[in-house]
Amino acid sequence: MKNLVIIGARGFGREVFDLATNTQAFIDGEYQIKGFLDDKIDALEGYKGYPEIIDSVEHYTPEENDVFVCALGTVQPKKEYAEMILAKGGEFINLVDLKANVRSNISHLKGVLIFSFVFVSVDVTLSDFVSLQHFSCLGHDARVGKWSHMSSYSTITGYTVLEDEVMLQTGAKVVPKKTVGKGGFVGAGSLVIRNVKPGQSVFGSPALPMTL
């Protein structure tokens, strides 16, 4: 049996713990949940029913039978801390909720998180360390790049492309055959009707570049 270590013990970390207890792999006894890694040692203070915070990511050395998932809800910290563990030889697994509907193969991937009531249609291409939160929807032939994050109720439609490190906030939608470039950010409730340039942040319906 593997020992699952969750990177991040804050709000999203608690959600990922819940996800980890609602997978077929957990039911089949493929792993038990060992605990969290977080430098905020009191992150779980006031909450009950969670395993302990073992250590910080910086100080933890992976042990035999450890496997990992990264429970950080923004792209760059997720990448930074997952890469710390990868550099130490850590192995990442996928978590797929029993109530997710995934029509595309992800068995070759690592670090993917798919929450309840997500729909992944046919011939969708996902990448390592993609996170799909509750009720997000991915249409046929869509592609999602490494490290990208789709928040709850976000939708990408047929032939949409999210390049690496893209963030879609809650309720964001992208119309068919549009691309959100690497590092792009789409604000909550936005509707993307034209391509988003790499590194660009957009907001609104229709989505327009954000200005300070």
Side-chain angles (χ1 to χ4, degrees), residues 120-163:
V120 179
S121 191
V122 295
D123 302 308
V124 170
T125 302
L126 299 181
S127 305
D128 293 340
F129 297 99
V130 164
S131 301
L132 307 176
Q133 285 192 266
H134 310 278
F135 293 98
S136 55
C137 181
L138 293 79
H140 65 86
D141 300 287
R143 291 191 286 126
V144 183
K146 190 172 182 179
W147 307 109
S148 292
H149 183 106
M150 290 181 60
S151 300
S152 297
Y153 295 96
S154 58
T155 299
I156 59 175
T157 47
Y159 299 102
T160 294
V161 176
L162 305 184
E163 295 185 348

Side-chain angles (χ1 to χ4, degrees), residues 59-79:
H59 294 131
Y60 189 73
T61 299
E63 299 179 342
E64 186 177 2
N65 294 323
D66 279 354
V67 291
F68 297 84
V69 291
C70 192
L72 298 173
T74 50
V75 170
Q76 290 306 318
K78 173 172 68 171
K79 181 179 179 183

Side-chain angles (χ1 to χ4, degrees), residues 181-201:
K182 180 178 179 179
F185 177 95
V186 181
S190 297
L191 176 64
V192 173
I193 63 171
R194 56 180 64 86
N195 292 338
V196 177
K197 296 177 182 178
Q200 189 174 51
S201 296

Side-chain angles (χ1 to χ4, degrees), residues 16-23 26-27 31 33 95 98:
V16 170
F17 170 80
D18 182 70
L19 167 61
T21 63
N22 286 283
T23 70
F26 182 76
I27 291 171
Y31 62 81
I33 302 172
L95 299 180
L98 287 164

